[in-house]
Amino acid sequence: MTPKLSNETGVRAFVRELIGRQSRQAVTGALKAMAERADSMSMLAALEFPLVLIHGDSDQLIPIERAIDIVSVKPSAKLFELKGAGHMPMMEFPRQVADGLMHFIR
């Protein structure tokens, strides 16, 4: 799974080691919960609070098109697309993620 999280070997190694420290039941439970969670797209339009999406255009688990779909349902949402970032933009591009969050809280 870690090769799909990032193109950066350091990030993959860190996450692989982190996952390896977890119990088999915890990892299985987390993956099962993510796989079985309900789709929440239909409720997004009704949200009454600001929404920011920080998404890598190289995410192999959740394609950037999914974030674009969210913005189409919730036009007030702000999308910060990070070129070259995968599924772990907070680790791959921490400065750019912080900049995106700063736009959100201003």
Coordinates of all heavy atoms in Angstrom, one line a residue:
M1 N 0.8 -1.2 0.0 CA 0.0 0.0 0.0 C 0.9 1.3 0.0 O 0.5 2.3 -0.6 CB -0.9 0.0 1.2 CG -1.8 1.2 1.3 SD -3.1 1.0 2.4 CE -3.8 2.6 2.4
T2 N 2.0 1.2 0.7 CA 2.8 2.5 0.8 C 3.2 3.1 -0.5 O 3.3 4.3 -0.6 CB 4.0 2.3 1.8 OG1 4.8 1.2 1.3 CG2 3.5 2.1 3.2
P3 N 3.5 2.3 -1.6 CA 3.9 2.9 -2.8 C 2.7 3.8 -3.4 O 3.0 4.7 -4.1 CB 4.2 1.7 -3.8 CG 4.6 0.7 -2.9 CD 3.7 0.8 -1.6
K4 N 1.5 3.5 -3.0 CA 0.4 4.3 -3.5 C 0.2 5.6 -2.7 O -0.5 6.5 -3.1 CB -0.9 3.5 -3.5 CG -0.9 2.4 -4.5 CD -2.2 1.7 -4.6 CE -2.2 0.7 -5.7 NZ -3.5 0.1 -5.9
L5 N 0.9 5.7 -1.6 CA 0.7 6.9 -0.7 C 1.5 8.1 -1.1 O 1.2 9.2 -0.9 CB 1.0 6.5 0.8 CG 0.1 5.5 1.4 CD1 0.6 5.1 2.8 CD2 -1.4 6.0 1.5
S6 N 2.7 7.8 -1.7 CA 3.6 8.9 -2.0 C 4.7 8.4 -3.0 O 5.0 7.2 -3.0 CB 4.3 9.4 -0.8 OG 5.3 10.4 -1.1
N7 N 5.2 9.3 -3.8 CA 6.3 9.0 -4.7 C 7.6 9.2 -4.0 O 8.7 8.8 -4.5 CB 6.3 9.9 -5.9 CG 5.1 9.5 -6.9 OD1 4.7 8.4 -6.9 ND2 4.6 10.5 -7.5
E8 N 7.6 9.8 -2.8 CA 8.8 10.0 -2.0 C 9.2 8.8 -1.2 O 8.4 8.4 -0.3 CB 8.6 11.3 -1.2 CG 8.5 12.5 -2.0 CD 8.5 13.8 -1.1 OE1 9.0 13.7 0.0 OE2 8.0 14.8 -1.6
T9 N 10.4 8.3 -1.4 CA 10.8 7.1 -0.6 C 10.8 7.4 0.9 O 10.5 6.5 1.7 CB 12.2 6.6 -1.1 OG1 13.1 7.7 -1.0 CG2 12.2 6.2 -2.5
G10 N 11.2 8.6 1.3 CA 11.2 8.8 2.8 C 9.9 8.8 3.4 O 9.7 8.3 4.5
V11 N 8.9 9.3 2.7 CA 7.5 9.3 3.2 C 7.0 7.8 3.2 O 6.4 7.4 4.2 CB 6.6 10.2 2.3 CG1 5.1 10.0 2.7 CG2 7.0 11.6 2.5
R12 N 7.3 7.1 2.2 CA 6.8 5.7 2.1 C 7.5 4.9 3.3 O 6.8 4.1 3.9 CB 7.2 5.1 0.8 CG 6.3 5.6 -0.3 CD 6.4 4.7 -1.6 NE 7.7 4.4 -2.0 CZ 8.4 4.9 -3.0 NH1 7.8 5.8 -3.8 NH2 9.6 4.5 -3.3
A13 N 8.8 5.1 3.5 CA 9.5 4.4 4.6 C 8.9 4.7 5.9 O 8.7 3.8 6.8 CB 11.0 4.7 4.5
F14 N 8.6 6.0 6.2 CA 8.1 6.4 7.5 C 6.7 5.8 7.7 O 6.4 5.2 8.8 CB 7.9 8.0 7.5 CG 7.2 8.5 8.7 CD1 7.9 8.6 9.9 CD2 5.9 8.8 8.7 CE1 7.3 9.1 11.1 CE2 5.2 9.2 9.8 CZ 5.9 9.4 11.0
V15 N 5.8 5.8 6.7 CA 4.5 5.3 6.8 C 4.5 3.8 6.9 O 3.8 3.2 7.7 CB 3.6 5.7 5.6 CG1 2.2 5.1 5.7 CG2 3.4 7.3 5.6
R16 N 5.4 3.1 6.2 CA 5.5 1.7 6.3 C 5.9 1.2 7.7 O 5.3 0.3 8.3 CB 6.6 1.1 5.3 CG 6.7 -0.4 5.3 CD 7.7 -0.9 4.3 NE 7.5 -0.4 2.9 CZ 8.3 0.5 2.3 NH1 9.4 1.0 2.8 NH2 8.0 0.9 1.1
E17 N 6.9 2.0 8.3 CA 7.3 1.7 9.7 C 6.2 2.0 10.7 O 5.9 1.2 11.6 CB 8.5 2.5 10.0 CG 9.3 2.1 11.2 CD 8.7 2.8 12.5 OE1 8.3 3.9 12.4 OE2 8.7 2.1 13.5
L18 N 5.4 3.0 10.5 CA 4.3 3.4 11.3 C 3.2 2.3 11.3 O 2.7 1.9 12.3 CB 3.7 4.8 10.9 CG 2.6 5.3 11.7 CD1 3.0 5.6 13.1 CD2 2.0 6.5 11.0
I19 N 2.9 1.9 10.1 CA 1.9 0.9 9.9 C 2.3 -0.4 10.5 O 1.6 -1.1 11.2 CB 1.5 0.6 8.4 CG1 0.8 1.9 7.9 CG2 0.7 -0.6 8.2 CD1 0.6 1.8 6.3
G20 N 3.6 -0.7 10.4 CA 4.2 -2.0 10.9 C 4.2 -2.0 12.4 O 4.2 -3.1 13.0
R21 N 4.1 -0.9 13.1 CA 4.0 -0.9 14.6 C 2.6 -1.1 15.1 O 2.4 -1.3 16.3 CB 4.5 0.5 15.1 CG 6.0 0.7 15.0 CD 6.5 1.8 15.8 NE 5.7 3.0 15.8 CZ 6.0 4.2 15.3 NH1 7.1 4.4 14.8 NH2 5.1 5.2 15.4
Q22 N 1.6 -1.1 14.2 CA 0.2 -1.3 14.6 C -0.1 -2.8 14.7 O 0.5 -3.6 14.0 CB -0.7 -0.6 13.7 CG -0.3 0.9 13.4 CD 0.0 1.7 14.6 OE1 -0.8 1.7 15.6 NE2 1.1 2.3 14.7
S23 N -1.1 -3.1 15.4 CA -1.6 -4.5 15.5 C -2.3 -4.8 14.1 O -2.8 -3.9 13.5 CB -2.6 -4.7 16.6 OG -3.8 -4.1 16.4
R24 N -2.3 -6.1 13.8 CA -3.0 -6.6 12.6 C -4.4 -6.2 12.7 O -5.0 -5.8 11.7 CB -2.8 -8.1 12.5 CG -3.4 -8.6 11.2 CD -3.1 -10.0 11.0 NE -1.7 -10.1 10.6 CZ -1.0 -11.2 10.5 NH1 -1.5 -12.3 10.8 NH2 0.3 -11.2 10.2
Q25 N -5.0 -6.3 13.8 CA -6.5 -6.0 14.0 C -6.7 -4.5 13.8 O -7.8 -4.2 13.2 CB -7.0 -6.4 15.4 CG -6.9 -7.9 15.7 CD -5.6 -8.4 16.2 OE1 -4.6 -7.6 16.3 NE2 -5.5 -9.7 16.4
A26 N -5.9 -3.7 14.2 CA -6.0 -2.2 14.0 C -6.0 -1.9 12.6 O -6.8 -1.1 12.1 CB -5.0 -1.5 14.8
V27 N -5.0 -2.4 11.9 CA -4.8 -2.1 10.4 C -6.0 -2.6 9.7 O -6.6 -1.9 8.8 CB -3.5 -2.6 9.9 CG1 -3.4 -2.5 8.4 CG2 -2.3 -2.0 10.6
T28 N -6.4 -3.9 10.0 CA -7.6 -4.5 9.3 C -8.8 -3.7 9.6 O -9.6 -3.4 8.7 CB -7.7 -5.9 9.7 OG1 -6.5 -6.6 9.5 CG2 -8.9 -6.6 9.0
G29 N -9.0 -3.3 10.8 CA -10.2 -2.5 11.2 C -10.3 -1.2 10.5 O -11.3 -0.7 10.0
A30 N -9.1 -0.5 10.4 CA -9.1 0.8 9.8 C -9.4 0.7 8.3 O -10.1 1.5 7.7 CB -7.7 1.5 10.0
L31 N -8.8 -0.3 7.6 CA -9.0 -0.5 6.2 C -10.5 -0.8 5.9 O -11.1 -0.4 5.0 CB -8.1 -1.5 5.6 CG -6.6 -1.1 5.6 CD1 -5.7 -2.3 5.2 CD2 -6.4 0.0 4.6
K32 N -11.0 -1.7 6.8 CA -12.4 -2.1 6.6 C -13.4 -0.9 6.8 O -14.3 -0.7 6.0 CB -12.8 -3.2 7.6 CG -14.1 -3.8 7.5 CD -14.3 -5.0 8.5 CE -15.5 -5.8 8.3 NZ -16.8 -5.2 8.6
A33 N -13.1 -0.1 7.8 CA -13.9 1.1 8.1 C -13.9 2.1 6.9 O -14.9 2.6 6.5 CB -13.5 1.8 9.3
M34 N -12.7 2.3 6.3 CA -12.6 3.2 5.1 C -13.4 2.6 3.9 O -14.1 3.3 3.2 CB -11.1 3.4 4.8 CG -10.5 4.4 5.7 SD -8.8 4.8 5.2 CE -7.9 3.3 5.8
A35 N -13.2 1.3 3.7 CA -13.9 0.6 2.6 C -15.4 0.6 2.7 O -16.1 0.7 1.7 CB -13.4 -0.8 2.4
E36 N -15.9 0.6 3.9 CA -17.3 0.4 4.1 C -18.0 1.7 4.5 O -19.3 1.8 4.6 CB -17.6 -0.6 5.2 CG -17.2 -2.0 4.8 CD -17.4 -3.0 5.9 OE1 -17.8 -2.6 7.1 OE2 -17.2 -4.2 5.7
R37 N -17.3 2.8 4.6 CA -17.9 4.1 5.0 C -18.9 4.6 3.9 O -18.7 4.3 2.7 CB -16.9 5.2 5.3 CG -16.1 5.6 4.1 CD -15.1 6.7 4.5 NE -14.3 6.9 3.4 CZ -13.0 7.1 3.4 NH1 -12.4 7.0 4.6 NH2 -12.3 7.3 2.3
A38 N -20.0 5.2 4.3 CA -21.0 5.7 3.4 C -20.4 6.9 2.6 O -19.6 7.7 3.1 CB -22.2 6.1 4.2
D39 N -20.9 7.1 1.4 CA -20.6 8.2 0.6 C -21.2 9.5 1.2 O -22.4 9.4 1.5 CB -21.0 8.0 -0.8 CG -20.5 9.1 -1.8 OD1 -21.0 10.2 -1.6 OD2 -19.7 8.8 -2.6
S40 N -20.5 10.5 1.3 CA -21.1 11.7 2.0 C -21.3 12.9 1.0 O -21.6 14.0 1.4 CB -20.2 12.2 3.1 OG -18.9 12.4 2.6
M41 N -21.1 12.6 -0.3 CA -21.3 13.7 -1.3 C -22.6 14.4 -1.2 O -22.7 15.6 -1.3 CB -21.1 13.2 -2.7 CG -19.7 12.8 -3.1 SD -18.6 14.3 -3.2 CE -19.1 14.9 -4.8
S42 N -23.7 13.7 -0.9 CA -25.0 14.3 -0.9 C -25.2 15.3 0.2 O -26.0 16.2 0.1 CB -26.1 13.2 -0.8 OG -25.9 12.4 0.4
M43 N -24.5 15.2 1.3 CA -24.6 16.1 2.4 C -23.7 17.3 2.3 O -23.9 18.3 3.0 CB -24.4 15.4 3.7 CG -22.9 15.0 3.9 SD -22.7 14.3 5.6 CE -21.4 15.4 6.2
L44 N -22.8 17.3 1.4 CA -21.8 18.4 1.3 C -22.5 19.8 1.0 O -22.1 20.8 1.6 CB -20.8 18.2 0.3 CG -19.8 17.1 0.6 CD1 -18.8 16.8 -0.6 CD2 -19.0 17.5 1.8
A45 N -23.5 19.8 0.1 CA -24.2 21.1 -0.2 C -24.8 21.7 1.0 O -24.9 23.0 1.0 CB -25.2 20.8 -1.3
A46 N -25.2 20.9 1.9 CA -25.9 21.5 3.1 C -25.0 22.0 4.2 O -25.4 22.6 5.1 CB -26.9 20.4 3.7
L47 N -23.7 21.8 4.1 CA -22.7 22.2 5.1 C -22.8 23.7 5.2 O -22.8 24.5 4.2 CB -21.3 21.8 4.8 CG -21.1 20.3 4.8 CD1 -19.6 20.0 4.4 CD2 -21.4 19.7 6.1
E48 N -22.8 24.2 6.4 CA -22.9 25.7 6.7 C -21.6 26.3 7.2 O -21.5 27.4 7.7 CB -24.0 26.0 7.6 CG -25.4 25.6 7.1 CD -26.5 25.9 8.0 OE1 -26.3 26.7 9.0 OE2 -27.6 25.5 7.8
F49 N -20.5 25.5 7.0 CA -19.2 26.0 7.5 C -18.2 25.9 6.3 O -18.5 25.2 5.3 CB -18.7 25.2 8.7 CG -18.7 23.7 8.5 CD1 -17.7 23.1 7.8 CD2 -19.8 23.0 9.0 CE1 -17.7 21.7 7.7 CE2 -19.8 21.6 8.9 CZ -18.8 21.0 8.2
P50 N -17.1 26.7 6.4 CA -16.2 26.7 5.3 C -15.6 25.3 5.1 O -15.4 24.5 6.0 CB -15.1 27.7 5.7 CG -15.8 28.5 6.8 CD -16.8 27.6 7.4
L51 N -15.2 25.0 3.8 CA -14.6 23.7 3.5 C -13.4 24.0 2.6 O -13.4 24.7 1.6 CB -15.7 22.9 2.7 CG -15.2 21.5 2.2 CD1 -14.9 20.6 3.4 CD2 -16.3 20.9 1.3
V52 N -12.3 23.4 3.1 CA -11.0 23.5 2.3 C -10.6 22.1 1.9 O -10.7 21.2 2.7 CB -9.9 24.3 3.1 CG1 -9.5 23.5 4.3 CG2 -8.7 24.5 2.2
L53 N -10.1 21.9 0.7 CA -9.6 20.7 0.2 C -8.2 20.9 -0.2 O -7.9 21.8 -1.0 CB -10.4 20.1 -1.0 CG -11.9 20.0 -0.8 CD1 -12.6 19.9 -2.1 CD2 -12.2 18.8 0.1
I54 N -7.3 20.1 0.4 CA -5.9 20.2 0.0 C -5.6 18.8 -0.6 O -5.6 17.8 0.1 CB -4.9 20.5 1.2 CG1 -5.3 21.9 1.7 CG2 -3.5 20.5 0.7 CD1 -4.6 22.4 2.9
H55 N -5.3 18.8 -1.9 CA -5.3 17.5 -2.6 C -4.1 17.5 -3.6 O -3.9 18.4 -4.3 CB -6.6 17.3 -3.4 CG -6.9 15.9 -3.7 ND1 -7.8 15.2 -3.0 CD2 -6.4 15.0 -4.6 CE1 -7.9 13.9 -3.5 NE2 -7.0 13.8 -4.4
G56 N -3.4 16.4 -3.6 CA -2.3 16.2 -4.5 C -2.8 15.7 -5.9 O -3.7 14.8 -5.9
D57 N -2.3 16.2 -6.9 CA -2.7 15.8 -8.3 C -2.1 14.4 -8.6 O -2.5 13.9 -9.7 CB -2.4 16.8 -9.3 CG -0.9 17.0 -9.6 OD1 0.0 16.5 -8.8 OD2 -0.6 17.6 -10.7
S58 N -1.2 13.9 -7.8 CA -0.6 12.6 -8.1 C -1.1 11.5 -7.1 O -0.5 10.5 -6.9 CB 0.9 12.7 -8.0 OG 1.4 13.5 -9.1
D59 N -2.2 11.8 -6.4 CA -2.8 10.9 -5.4 C -3.3 9.6 -6.1 O -4.1 9.7 -7.0 CB -3.9 11.6 -4.7 CG -4.4 10.8 -3.5 OD1 -4.3 9.5 -3.5 OD2 -4.9 11.4 -2.5
Q60 N -2.7 8.5 -5.8 CA -3.1 7.2 -6.4 C -4.2 6.5 -5.7 O -4.8 5.5 -6.3 CB -1.9 6.3 -6.5 CG -0.7 6.8 -7.3 CD 0.4 5.8 -7.4 OE1 0.2 4.6 -7.5 NE2 1.6 6.3 -7.2
L61 N -4.6 7.0 -4.6 CA -5.7 6.4 -3.9 C -7.0 7.1 -4.1 O -8.1 6.5 -4.2 CB -5.4 6.3 -2.4 CG -4.3 5.4 -2.0 CD1 -4.0 5.4 -0.5 CD2 -4.6 4.0 -2.4
I62 N -7.0 8.5 -4.1 CA -8.2 9.3 -4.3 C -7.8 10.3 -5.4 O -7.1 11.3 -5.1 CB -8.6 10.0 -3.0 CG1 -8.9 9.0 -1.9 CG2 -9.9 10.9 -3.3 CD1 -9.2 9.7 -0.5
P63 N -8.3 10.1 -6.6 CA -7.9 11.0 -7.7 C -8.3 12.4 -7.5 O -9.4 12.7 -6.8 CB -8.5 10.4 -8.9 CG -9.3 9.2 -8.5 CD -9.2 9.0 -7.0
I64 N -7.6 13.4 -8.0 CA -7.9 14.8 -7.9 C -9.4 15.0 -8.4 O -10.0 16.0 -7.9 CB -6.9 15.6 -8.7 CG1 -7.1 17.1 -8.4 CG2 -6.9 15.4 -10.2 CD1 -6.9 17.6 -7.0
E65 N -9.9 14.2 -9.3 CA -11.2 14.4 -9.9 C -12.3 14.3 -8.7 O -13.3 15.0 -8.8 CB -11.5 13.4 -11.0 CG -10.8 13.6 -12.2 CD -9.3 13.2 -12.2 OE1 -8.9 12.4 -11.3 OE2 -8.5 13.7 -13.0
R66 N -12.0 13.6 -7.7 CA -12.9 13.4 -6.6 C -13.0 14.8 -5.8 O -14.1 15.2 -5.5 CB -12.4 12.3 -5.6 CG -13.4 12.0 -4.5 CD -14.6 11.4 -5.1 NE -15.4 10.9 -3.9 CZ -16.7 10.7 -4.0 NH1 -17.4 10.9 -5.0 NH2 -17.3 10.3 -2.9
A67 N -11.9 15.5 -5.7 CA -11.9 16.8 -5.0 C -12.7 17.8 -5.9 O -13.4 18.6 -5.4 CB -10.5 17.3 -4.8
I68 N -12.4 17.7 -7.2 CA -13.2 18.6 -8.2 C -14.7 18.3 -8.1 O -15.5 19.2 -8.2 CB -12.6 18.4 -9.6 CG1 -11.1 18.9 -9.6 CG2 -13.4 19.1 -10.6 CD1 -10.3 18.5 -10.8
D69 N -15.0 17.0 -8.0 CA -16.5 16.7 -7.8 C -17.0 17.3 -6.5 O -18.2 17.8 -6.5 CB -16.7 15.2 -7.7 CG -16.4 14.4 -9.0 OD1 -16.4 15.1 -10.1 OD2 -16.2 13.2 -8.9
I70 N -16.3 17.4 -5.5 CA -16.7 18.0 -4.2 C -17.0 19.5 -4.4 O -18.0 20.0 -4.0 CB -15.7 17.7 -3.1 CG1 -15.7 16.2 -2.7 CG2 -16.0 18.6 -1.9 CD1 -14.6 15.8 -1.7
V71 N -16.1 20.1 -5.1 CA -16.2 21.6 -5.4 C -17.5 21.8 -6.3 O -18.2 22.8 -6.1 CB -15.0 22.2 -6.0 CG1 -15.2 23.6 -6.5 CG2 -13.8 22.1 -5.0
S72 N -17.8 20.9 -7.2 CA -19.0 21.1 -8.0 C -20.3 21.0 -7.2 O -21.3 21.6 -7.5 CB -19.0 20.1 -9.2 OG -19.3 18.8 -8.7
V73 N -20.2 20.2 -6.1 CA -21.4 20.1 -5.2 C -21.4 21.2 -4.2 O -22.5 21.7 -3.8 CB -21.3 18.7 -4.5 CG1 -22.4 18.6 -3.4 CG2 -21.5 17.6 -5.5
K74 N -20.2 21.7 -3.8 CA -20.1 22.7 -2.8 C -19.2 23.8 -3.4 O -18.0 23.9 -3.1 CB -19.5 22.1 -1.5 CG -19.4 23.1 -0.4 CD -20.7 23.4 0.2 CE -20.5 24.3 1.5 NZ -21.7 24.8 2.0
P75 N -19.8 24.7 -4.2 CA -19.0 25.7 -4.9 C -18.2 26.6 -4.0 O -17.2 27.2 -4.5 CB -20.0 26.4 -5.8 CG -21.1 25.5 -5.9 CD -21.2 24.7 -4.7
S76 N -18.6 26.8 -2.8 CA -17.9 27.7 -1.9 C -16.6 27.1 -1.3 O -15.8 27.7 -0.7 CB -18.8 28.2 -0.7 OG -19.2 27.1 0.0
A77 N -16.5 25.8 -1.6 CA -15.3 25.1 -1.1 C -14.0 25.6 -1.8 O -14.1 26.0 -3.0 CB -15.4 23.6 -1.3
K78 N -12.9 25.6 -1.1 CA -11.7 26.1 -1.7 C -10.8 24.8 -1.9 O -10.6 24.1 -1.0 CB -10.9 27.0 -0.8 CG -11.7 28.3 -0.4 CD -11.9 29.2 -1.6 CE -12.6 30.4 -1.2 NZ -13.7 30.8 -1.9
L79 N -10.3 24.7 -3.1 CA -9.5 23.5 -3.5 C -8.1 24.1 -3.7 O -7.9 24.9 -4.6 CB -10.0 22.8 -4.7 CG -9.1 21.7 -5.3 CD1 -8.8 20.6 -4.3 CD2 -9.7 21.2 -6.6
F80 N -7.1 23.5 -3.0 CA -5.7 23.8 -3.2 C -5.1 22.5 -3.8 O -4.9 21.5 -3.1 CB -5.0 24.2 -1.9 CG -5.5 25.5 -1.4 CD1 -6.6 25.5 -0.5 CD2 -5.0 26.7 -1.8 CE1 -7.0 26.7 0.0 CE2 -5.5 27.9 -1.3 CZ -6.5 27.9 -0.4
E81 N -4.9 22.5 -5.1 CA -4.3 21.4 -5.7 C -2.8 21.5 -5.7 O -2.2 22.5 -6.2 CB -4.8 21.3 -7.2 CG -4.3 20.1 -8.0 CD -4.9 20.1 -9.4 OE1 -5.9 20.7 -9.6 OE2 -4.3 19.4 -10.2
L82 N -2.1 20.5 -5.2 CA -0.7 20.5 -5.1 C -0.1 19.6 -6.2 O -0.2 18.4 -6.2 CB -0.2 20.0 -3.7 CG -0.7 20.9 -2.5 CD1 -0.2 20.3 -1.2 CD2 -0.3 22.3 -2.7
K83 N 0.6 20.3 -7.1 CA 1.3 19.6 -8.2 C 2.4 18.6 -7.7 O 3.2 19.0 -6.9 CB 1.9 20.6 -9.2 CG 0.9 21.5 -9.8 CD 0.0 20.9 -10.7 CE -1.0 21.9 -11.3 NZ -2.2 21.3 -11.9
G84 N 2.3 17.4 -8.1 CA 3.3 16.4 -7.7 C 3.1 15.7 -6.4 O 3.8 14.8 -6.0
A85 N 2.1 16.2 -5.6 CA 1.8 15.6 -4.3 C 0.9 14.3 -4.5 O 0.0 14.3 -5.3 CB 1.1 16.6 -3.4
G86 N 1.2 13.4 -3.6 CA 0.4 12.1 -3.6 C -0.7 12.2 -2.5 O -1.3 13.2 -2.3
H87 N -0.9 11.1 -1.9 CA -1.9 11.0 -0.8 C -1.5 11.6 0.5 O -2.3 11.8 1.4 CB -2.3 9.5 -0.7 CG -3.5 9.3 0.1 ND1 -4.8 9.5 -0.4 CD2 -3.8 8.8 1.3 CE1 -5.7 9.2 0.5 NE2 -5.1 8.8 1.5
M88 N -0.2 11.9 0.6 CA 0.3 12.4 1.9 C 0.9 13.8 1.7 O 2.0 14.1 2.1 CB 1.4 11.5 2.4 CG 1.0 10.0 2.5 SD -0.2 9.7 3.7 CE 0.7 9.9 5.2
P89 N 0.1 14.8 1.2 CA 0.7 16.1 0.9 C 1.2 16.8 2.2 O 2.2 17.6 2.1 CB -0.5 16.9 0.3 CG -1.7 16.2 0.8 CD -1.3 14.7 0.9
M90 N 0.6 16.5 3.3 CA 1.1 17.2 4.6 C 2.6 16.7 4.9 O 3.3 17.5 5.6 CB 0.2 16.9 5.7 CG 0.2 15.4 6.2 SD -0.5 14.3 4.9 CE -1.8 13.5 5.8
M91 N 3.0 15.6 4.4 CA 4.3 15.1 4.6 C 5.2 15.4 3.4 O 6.4 15.6 3.5 CB 4.3 13.6 4.9 CG 3.6 13.3 6.2 SD 3.6 11.5 6.4 CE 5.3 11.2 6.9
E92 N 4.6 15.5 2.2 CA 5.4 15.7 1.0 C 5.7 17.2 0.8 O 6.8 17.6 0.3 CB 4.6 15.1 -0.2 CG 4.4 13.6 -0.1 CD 3.3 13.2 -1.1 OE1 2.2 13.8 -1.1 OE2 3.6 12.2 -1.8
F93 N 4.7 18.0 1.0 CA 4.8 19.5 0.8 C 4.2 20.2 2.0 O 3.2 20.9 1.9 CB 4.0 19.8 -0.5 CG 4.5 19.2 -1.7 CD1 4.1 18.0 -2.2 CD2 5.5 19.9 -2.4 CE1 4.6 17.5 -3.4 CE2 6.0 19.4 -3.6 CZ 5.6 18.1 -4.1
P94 N 4.8 20.1 3.2 CA 4.3 20.7 4.4 C 4.1 22.2 4.3 O 3.1 22.8 4.8 CB 5.3 20.3 5.5 CG 6.5 19.9 4.8 CD 6.1 19.4 3.4
R95 N 5.0 22.9 3.6 CA 4.9 24.4 3.5 C 3.7 24.8 2.7 O 2.9 25.7 3.0 CB 6.2 25.0 2.9 CG 6.1 26.4 2.5 CD 6.4 27.3 3.7 NE 5.3 27.4 4.5 CZ 5.1 28.1 5.7 NH1 6.0 28.7 6.3 NH2 4.0 28.1 6.3
Q96 N 3.5 24.1 1.6 CA 2.3 24.4 0.7 C 1.0 24.0 1.4 O 0.0 24.7 1.2 CB 2.4 23.7 -0.6 CG 3.6 24.2 -1.5 CD 4.9 23.5 -1.2 OE1 5.1 22.9 -0.2 NE2 5.8 23.5 -2.2
V97 N 1.0 23.0 2.2 CA -0.2 22.6 2.9 C -0.5 23.7 4.0 O -1.6 24.1 4.1 CB -0.1 21.2 3.6 CG1 -1.2 21.0 4.6 CG2 -0.1 20.1 2.5
A98 N 0.5 24.2 4.7 CA 0.3 25.2 5.6 C -0.2 26.5 4.9 O -1.1 27.2 5.5 CB 1.7 25.5 6.4
D99 N 0.3 26.8 3.8 CA -0.1 28.0 3.0 C -1.6 27.8 2.7 O -2.4 28.8 2.8 CB 0.7 28.2 1.8 CG 2.1 28.6 2.0 OD1 2.4 29.1 3.2 OD2 2.9 28.5 1.1
G100 N -2.0 26.7 2.3 CA -3.4 26.4 1.9 C -4.3 26.6 3.2 O -5.4 27.2 3.1
L101 N -3.9 26.1 4.3 CA -4.6 26.2 5.5 C -4.7 27.7 6.0 O -5.7 28.2 6.5 CB -4.0 25.4 6.6 CG -4.2 23.9 6.4 CD1 -3.4 23.1 7.5 CD2 -5.6 23.5 6.4
M102 N -3.6 28.5 5.7 CA -3.6 29.9 6.1 C -4.7 30.6 5.3 O -5.3 31.5 5.8 CB -2.2 30.5 5.9 CG -1.2 30.1 6.9 SD -1.7 30.4 8.6 CE -1.7 32.2 8.6
H103 N -4.9 30.3 4.0 CA -5.9 30.9 3.2 C -7.3 30.6 3.8 O -8.2 31.4 3.8 CB -5.8 30.4 1.8 CG -4.7 31.1 1.0 ND1 -4.7 32.4 0.6 CD2 -3.6 30.5 0.6 CE1 -3.6 32.6 -0.1 NE2 -2.9 31.5 -0.1
F104 N -7.4 29.4 4.4 CA -8.6 29.0 4.9 C -9.0 29.7 6.2 O -10.2 30.1 6.4 CB -8.5 27.5 5.2 CG -9.7 26.9 5.9 CD1 -10.9 26.8 5.2 CD2 -9.7 26.3 7.1 CE1 -12.0 26.2 5.7 CE2 -10.8 25.7 7.7 CZ -12.0 25.7 7.0
I105 N -8.0 30.0 7.1 CA -8.3 30.6 8.4 C -8.3 32.2 8.3 O -8.7 32.8 9.3 CB -7.4 30.1 9.5 CG1 -5.9 30.5 9.2 CG2 -7.6 28.7 9.7 CD1 -5.0 30.1 10.3
R106 N -8.0 32.7 7.2 CA -8.0 34.2 7.1 C -9.4 34.7 6.9 O -10.2 34.2 6.4 CB -7.1 34.7 5.9 CG -5.7 34.5 6.2 CD -4.8 35.1 5.1 NE -3.5 34.6 5.4 CZ -2.6 34.5 4.4 NH1 -2.9 34.7 3.2 NH2 -1.4 34.1 4.7

